[in-house]
Amino acid sequence: MTSDDPTDGEVRAALDVYLASGRRRRPQPAPADFRLSRLHLLEASVTRRVERRTETTRHQPGTVDLSERPLYDVLRDYRLGPHEKPADRPIDLVRSGTVHLGSCDCGNGRRRCADCDGMRYRPCEPTQTCTECLGVGACTQNLKHGGLPDPPPRAVKAGRAVRPEEERVDCAACRTPGSACPGCRGWGKVKCTKCDKGRITCRTCKESGTVECTTCKGHGSVTSWTAARIEWVSRTEAVPPPVPRPRPVASELESAGWRRDRLDTGDPLPDDLLPAHRSVLEPELGPRPGEKEREVVIRRLTVVRAVPPGSGHLEFYVFRDSGGRLDVRRRVSEAGRQKAYLALAAVVALVVLVLFLTH
């Protein structure tokens, strides 16, 4: 028992106050006759910071200033300085003799535009299908167009109805009055409004034929070097609790007055730790490969289960709240819940039987 554990006298006094408060009727026997049992709860986690070292080749556009980064020869032999602690942010290093400034294969920082292939424009269909007739039945006198379903290729003019209320206008191809679609005037197609002579300006390169090189970002050169990174990765593992929280008050215990201990690397376990808790935690304190730092968080709480004799269906849980006062929670026992379920099932069965017999 630790100094935070409530004594039997404190538990019985808290039960006496709880049962006498409000409109609750004091049960018999008195709290002095309650049977008490204790659950010593332990919840702990271990956070280890494990070192990880990686090496790769880096490329960056233009000239890169790497003078502030530490140099190394063999990554595994590099020793961190007293002020180099990559717990919060990684440390980037440069391998000695690997920095090289080279010309990009683009030559001048620009490459031919892939959209227009350097032509500064893109081809476009100079004519488009008429949105009014969709090229079908552009002129009712299609035989005068040569008997073809589509008009012969010729200069296409964008048309519109002279008088919108008219359904048909004079055909510009065969000149038959009132026979043509007002949108295309019999041609079936209209001139494209987006291009000029079958060409459309390339917006990707802005009519220059070239775009900025994605490799060197327009610098024309690239800096290459062998880069290394040292970082400490945090890994938190929960220690399996030797005793689980009692289910009837599991959620209430989240805000209870847990005793909390925080241990850094090399710190011993608390002196007042119970032997059962010590045997659970000691195997978790051994160093792991690559471990640089360790933090252990221990939470302890004693929960007292009080059962009045002869009740059979009631039980009380007593534990300290966050302010250090004893909190009492009244619950129906597992045996009481089973009796209630059986009684309910019997009532349901009886109702079903009555309904069956009366119909």
Side-chain angles (χ1 to χ4, degrees):
M1 178 182 294
T2 66
S3 58
D4 292 338
D5 290 354
T7 64
D8 289 356
E10 291 176 319
V11 172
R12 298 185 191 281
L15 288 169
D16 187 65
V17 172
Y18 175 83
L19 296 173
S21 63
R23 290 174 292 180
R24 300 185 184 92
R25 297 178 58 188
R26 186 185 182 96
Q28 295 294 331
D33 299 323
F34 279 36
R35 178 165 48 88
L36 305 182
S37 59
R38 295 173 179 271
L39 297 175
H40 299 287
L41 304 183
L42 171 73
E43 296 182 356
S45 64
V46 182
T47 300
R48 292 182 171 87
R49 294 184 178 91
V50 180
E51 184 175 275
R52 182 169 60 188
R53 299 190 176 198
T54 56
E55 191 176 46
T56 185
T57 301
R58 295 284 306 277
H59 306 280
Q60 193 165 325
T63 303
V64 183
D65 184 11
L66 302 171
S67 59
E68 294 184 357
R69 299 189 183 185
L71 298 176
Y72 73 97
D73 293 317
V74 181
L75 181 57
R76 67 173 178 272
D77 296 337
Y78 182 82
R79 294 188 176 182
L80 295 173
H83 301 294
E84 291 180 321
K85 188 177 179 180
D88 300 324
R89 56 182 301 180
I91 297 177
D92 292 317
L93 305 93
V94 177
R95 186 174 180 178
S96 301
T98 62
V99 181
H100 173 69
L101 178 63
S103 298
C104 182
D105 59 1
C106 67
N108 61 352
R110 301 190 68 82
R111 295 184 183 274
R112 177 183 294 182
C113 177
D115 287 350
C116 67
D117 197 24
M119 298 297 293
R120 299 183 294 180
Y121 62 86
R122 290 182 290 169
C124 180
E125 179 62 40
T127 60
Q128 298 176 346
T129 301
C130 175
T131 58
E132 296 289 336
C133 65
L134 301 178
V136 180
C139 178
T140 58
Q141 303 297 320
N142 63 324
L143 293 178
K144 294 185 178 181
H145 283 69
L148 301 176
D150 295 322
R154 61 182 65 194
V156 179
K157 297 181 180 179
R160 63 179 181 178
V162 178
R163 289 183 294 274
E165 65 273 8
E166 294 184 0
E167 294 185 0
R168 288 284 172 169
V169 297
D170 295 346
C171 179
C174 64
R175 299 180 183 178
T176 302
S179 63
C181 165
C184 61
R185 295 185 179 179
W187 294 119
K189 293 186 177 182
V190 295
K191 182 178 179 182
C192 176
T193 59
K194 297 180 180 179
C195 68
D196 182 22
K197 298 180 180 179
R199 297 181 178 183
I200 187 170
T201 300
C202 181
R203 295 183 179 181
T204 303
C205 63
K206 299 179 181 179
E207 293 188 276
S208 66
T210 60
V211 294
E212 182 181 274
C213 175
T214 56
T215 302
C216 66
K217 302 297 182 182
H219 291 278
S221 60
V222 177
T223 301
S224 304
W225 73 96
T226 300
R229 170 166 287 189
I230 302 176
E231 56 186 339
W232 289 359
V233 182
S234 295
R235 299 173 182 173
T236 301
E237 299 175 356
V239 178
V243 178
R245 294 184 183 184
R247 281 198 322 178
V249 291
S251 58
E252 288 88 340
L253 295 182
E254 190 62 38
S255 58
W258 294 79
R259 178 178 176 180
R260 188 176 186 275
D261 297 284
R262 178 184 174 277
L263 309 179
D264 290 327
T265 306
D267 290 346
L269 292 173
D271 294 335
D272 60 348
L273 197 64
L274 295 176
H277 293 173
R278 186 177 297 274
S279 63
V280 171
L281 289 174
E282 282 180 343
E284 303 293 333
L285 301 184
R288 300 292 189 268
E291 179 181 313
K292 297 300 179 181
E293 287 185 347
R294 181 179 64 235
E295 179 184 85
V296 181
V297 177
I298 303 172
R299 298 203 311 164
R300 290 177 285 171
L301 179 69
T302 298
V303 178
V304 181
R305 180 172 176 263
V307 180
S311 170
H313 65 278
L314 284 180
E315 58 188 9
F316 298 83
Y317 290 89
V318 184
F319 52 88
R320 293 196 185 277
D321 61 16
S322 58
R325 298 177 296 272
L326 289 182
D327 191 358
V328 179
R329 299 299 174 99
R330 178 177 178 269
R331 294 291 185 268
V332 177
S333 66
E334 183 66 26
R337 285 194 293 270
Q338 291 180 358
K339 290 180 181 179
Y341 294 152
L342 292 175
L344 179 61
V347 171
V348 172
L350 180 61
V351 170
V352 172
L353 179 62
V354 170
L355 292 176
F356 178 77
L357 296 176
T358 56
H359 284 76

